[in-house]
Amino acid sequence: MAYEPLYSYSASEPILLGGTHSQFSADDGSTWQNLKGAQELGDIGDVAESVECTTVDDERKMYTGGLKDAAERELTLYFYPDDSDQSALITAAQSQSTIQVKHQWPNGAIATYGLKLLGYQIVSGTADGFMQLKISGRQTTDVSWSTASTASSGGGGSGGSGGASG
């Protein structure tokens, strides 16, 4: 027996994470520094906890969304000891500063958010593994989503203080 489908669907090509670029700003977005060597960005977004709001009139428990809370975030990067941008990020992590972080995926989607840094670690590994830097923090703002403008012909990458605006 054939059933009518709920909707028509044709799968589209998923977006690979390769080609994603990230930057951070220690001056509230005036200048941006590159996060080169990123291995893992962590989950990006906000989730509200459910809060029970059942009354005696209800016949089952009722819930509403509470305050949004972001999980602890870890940015994992290959450690480049001679990279001035990573050195600036380590300095910000040591002083537990709040920075702005921006990620741009290959499809042009951009996420920008505040991140309260809680410190950093050099990740232990195996003899044939690479040194990695783990920056820990907690998201402090809602994620601002935008789309990058298209590049003009003869483009090229942006420098340490440029990048897509968010």
Side-chain angles (χ1 to χ4, degrees):
M1 172 182 277
Y3 296 98
E4 186 172 328
L6 294 175
Y7 55 90
S8 175
Y9 174 73
S10 293
S12 61
E13 193 71 26
I15 304 299
L16 289 173
L17 291 177
T20 300
H21 294 103
S22 300
Q23 295 181 312
F24 75 97
S25 173
D27 59 7
D28 206 27
S30 294
T31 58
W32 292 91
Q33 294 177 269
N34 299 323
L35 286 173
K36 295 179 284 288
Q39 294 298 297
E40 188 174 333
L41 305 176
D43 298 337
I44 298 167
D46 304 298
V47 177
E49 296 290 325
S50 64
V51 177
E52 185 182 344
C53 59
T54 308
T55 69
V56 294
D57 297 320
D58 296 319
E59 294 181 8
R60 67 176 295 135
K61 288 187 176 187
M62 304 299 288
Y63 298 90
T64 189
L67 295 175
K68 290 187 271 186
D69 191 13
E72 300 265 340
R73 177 171 323 277
E74 292 181 342
L75 302 172
T76 304
L77 317 162
Y78 282 130
F79 178 56
Y80 303 138
D82 59 348
D83 183 85
S84 61
D85 293 334
Q86 277 192 6
S87 294
L89 184 60
I90 289 170
T91 299
Q94 285 174 322
S95 64
Q96 297 184 345
S97 298
T98 299
I99 63 171
Q100 295 294 308
V101 178
K102 181 190 309 184
H103 306 292
Q104 180 180 337
W105 287 270
N107 66 351
I110 297 174
T112 307
Y113 56 90
L115 184 66
K116 171 66 174 174
L117 299 178
L118 302 174
Y120 78 98
Q121 296 174 312
I122 299 298
V123 179
S124 68
T126 61
D128 64 347
F130 297 104
M131 287 183 74
Q132 291 183 317
L133 172 66
K134 184 189 323 179
I135 303 293
S136 297
R138 191 159 192 128
Q139 187 177 314
T140 60
T141 65
D142 288 344
V143 176
S144 171
W145 291 96
S146 60
T147 303
S149 53
T150 57
S152 59
S153 61
S158 62
S161 62
S165 61

